[in-house]
Amino acid sequence: GNSVTQMEGPVTLSEEAFLTINCTYTATGYPSLFWYVQYPGEGLQLLLKATKADDKGSNKGFEATYRKETTSFHLEKGSVQVSDSAVYFCALQGAQKLVFGQGTRLTINP
Amino acid sequence: NAGVTQTPKFQVLKTGQSMTLQCAQDMNHEYMSWYRQDPGMGLRLIHYSVGAGITDQGEVPNGYNVSRSTTEDFPLRLLSAAPSQTSVYFCASSYSIAGVSSYNSPLHFGNGTRLTVT
C-alpha cells in the first residue's frame, strides 16, 4: 500500500542555517505529493505541493522536488528563521485520502 | 471566513463514557475526514466522507462512528471511550479529494480537539 517515511526528529538548527527534511514514499503510480506544516496549537496547513515527476513546489522560501527515480520529496530551505519552528508533514495522495508521514519537529534557535 | 470549525477544543472523559466531536465547514466542500494525531505516528485516517449520505472507513475506524446528513457537518462519535483513544483529533475538508491536485483544493484542517480518556 501507499506509505510515506520522513526523517526522524526532532531537528534543531540555528537561525539562517540550511534545512533539509527527508521524505521518501512508496506508492503505485505517480501520486501528487505535499508538505504540510503545523504551528503550535493549530491544525495543518498546506505548505507546497507537486503533482508530477520533476515538478518543484515552492512557498515561503521552502522548496521540494518530486523525484520519481529516488521516490523522494525532500523539503529544503536556504536560510531558516525562528518563525519556521513547527512540525512538518510529508504526504501523498492516495485513493480517497491523503497518507501522511509521521512528522518532523523543527526548532530554530536565535 | 470560518473554514473548518471543531468543538470542543479540549475534553476529558472517563472510560466507558460517550461523546461526539463536532466538525463543521462553510466552504461547500464535498470531502470531509477525521484524523487522529499521536506522537511518533503522524496522522491516521479514522473515517471519511465524499458527500452527504456517504461515509467510509479509514485506517483506524474501530471505536468510532460517523454520519454525514448535511454537506456542512461531519460529527465523530465515540460510543464507549477507552484510554487508547486519548489523542488529538483533526477534522479536514476539501472540495474533492479525488481531484485535489487538479482542482487546486488542498485539505483544510480545523484546529483540533485534544481528548483525554482516564
Side-chain angles (χ1 to χ4, degrees), chain B residues 8-29:
Chain B
K9 287 187 176 11
F10 301 95
Q11 183 71 49
V12 179
L13 293 177
K14 294 188 187 310
T15 298
Q17 287 185 313
S18 63
M19 79 159 295
T20 299
L21 280 63
Q22 301 292 344
C23 175
Q25 53 88 11
D26 61 358
M27 297 172 282
N28 201 30
H29 283 170

Side-chain angles (χ1 to χ4, degrees), chain B residues 81-99:
Chain B
S84 60
Q85 294 177 306
T86 294
S87 187
V88 180
Y89 291 84
F90 288 99
C91 180
S93 73
S94 174
Y95 178 75
S96 170
I97 193 69

Side-chain angles (χ1 to χ4, degrees), chain A residues 32 34 36 38 41-46 49 51 87 89 93-103, chain B residues 31 35 37 40-43 45 48 50 59 90 97-101 104-111:
Chain A
S32 294
F34 307 86
Y36 277 79
Q38 183 182 31
E42 298 183 9
L44 280 70
Q45 306 171 25
L46 179 67
K49 69 178 184 183
T51 58
V87 181
F89 292 90
Q93 180 186 334
Q96 304 294 328
K97 65 182 180 181
L98 288 190
V99 177
F100 288 89
Q102 69 269 39
Chain B
Y31 181 90
Y35 286 86
Q37 182 180 24
M41 305 194 73
L43 279 81
L45 183 66
Y48 65 95
V50 298
E59 300 171 69
F90 288 99
I97 193 69
V100 69
S101 56
N104 198 32
S105 174
L107 212 52
H108 294 260
F109 281 80
N111 284 339

